[in-house]
Amino acid sequence: MILDITLRLITAMVLGGVIGIEREFRSKDAGFRTHFLVALGSALFTVVSQYGFGIDLKDSSRVAAQVVSGIGFLGAGTIIFQKNMVRGLTTAAGLWVTAAIGLACGTGLYVVATITTALVLIGLESLHTFIPQLGKAAVQLGFVVTSKKTVSEVLKRLKDEDIEVSTFEMKSRSTKDGEVFDVSADIRVKRGGHNERILNLINEFDDVTISHLE
């Protein structure tokens, strides 16, 4: 039984880690360590619910059932609502399905867990690999300008390129060279080389310096 339980835990750790590596590659906050820990912990909870309370336990699924609701707290921590834009939903959903994979490994459903892991990877990579032009990407753009007029020209240029500005904020500050304006905007742009498009657009203005683009 010890060997069987060990195999379940190792399988959960490996499959969860595979999803975590994909998330790590995409520079997401929840990466390899988070995902393999979620899968491993879920598998352990399942094993404990099956074997940890003896043969008199009436409902061995109670502990495992709490993983389904409990993982929501961890997922909620990865979701950020900022300036009318929601980030982290995919990461939260990834943690949720990773917990399910761990539960499957904990019950010995290795084939089901492996198939699910493969489907998750296919689903996560399909947008980036096969259909990169589908939909729009949410991007945070920050730049520094020396003139309010230039800010208006940049916004007009973005609009001309069919780039939607969701939120916009501008602050002025004094420097040794005079007054400058820090601009921060949340924009939505068509996927596929969008960062290069934005950089090329901003480089058209001599008095604009990009502070961040993410």
Side-chain angles (χ1 to χ4, degrees):
M1 186 178 70
I2 295 298
L3 289 176
D4 180 50
I5 291 175
T6 303
L7 179 60
R8 296 183 187 190
L9 297 177
I10 292 176
T11 304
M13 182 181 71
V14 171
L15 296 180
V18 168
I19 297 176
I21 290 173
E22 191 279 337
R23 296 283 82 192
E24 196 91 42
F25 178 73
R26 296 296 174 190
S27 301
K28 302 302 180 181
D29 293 330
F32 170 75
R33 290 178 293 182
T34 303
H35 281 78
F36 98 75
L37 286 173
V38 167
L40 183 61
S42 300
L44 180 58
F45 273 122
T46 306
V47 170
V48 168
S49 69
Q50 288 180 323
Y51 305 109
F53 301 99
I55 61 175
D56 295 330
L57 184 64
K58 300 296 183 182
D59 185 3
S60 61
S61 66
R62 284 187 178 181
V63 175
Q66 299 308 308
V67 176
V68 179
S69 57
I71 194 65
F73 290 96
L74 189 59
T78 66
I79 299 174
I80 300 173
F81 180 77
Q82 185 179 34
K83 297 179 181 178
N84 298 323
M85 299 177 69
V86 179
R87 298 176 182 271
L89 281 176
T90 302
T91 300
L95 291 173
W96 181 63
V97 74
T98 300
I101 291 170
L103 288 172
C105 292
T107 57
L109 298 175
Y110 304 120
V111 175
V112 173
T114 303
I115 292 174
T116 303
T117 301
L119 292 174
V120 169
L121 294 176
I122 291 172
L124 289 174
E125 286 299 309
S126 61
L127 277 177
H128 296 283
T129 305
F130 301 109
I131 42 178
Q133 306 295 329
L134 183 64
K136 289 188 175 182
V139 178
Q140 287 186 329
L141 171 65
F143 57 91
V144 181
V145 297
T146 58
S147 160
K148 287 185 178 180
K149 181 181 178 181
T150 304
V151 176
S152 300
E153 292 175 352
V154 171
L155 293 177
K156 183 178 183 302
R157 189 74 179 86
L158 291 172
K159 185 178 180 180
D160 292 341
E161 290 293 321
D162 195 28
I163 299 176
E164 175 188 348
V165 180
S166 302
T167 62
F168 171 79
E169 182 179 5
M170 181 175 66
K171 296 181 180 179
S172 63
R173 58 184 172 90
S174 298
T175 67
K176 61 180 181 179
D177 298 321
E179 187 180 31
V180 297
F181 300 91
D182 292 310
V183 178
S184 179
D186 291 316
I187 62 178
R188 299 187 69 85
V189 57
K190 188 176 180 181
R191 295 182 186 274
H194 49 274
N195 285 343
E196 291 79 5
R197 286 178 56 203
I198 296 171
L199 288 172
N200 292 333
L201 187 151
I202 297 297
N203 286 335
E204 295 177 5
F205 300 89
D206 296 331
D207 58 340
V208 177
T209 303
I210 294 180
S211 57
H212 66 270
L213 179 64
E214 55 188 45

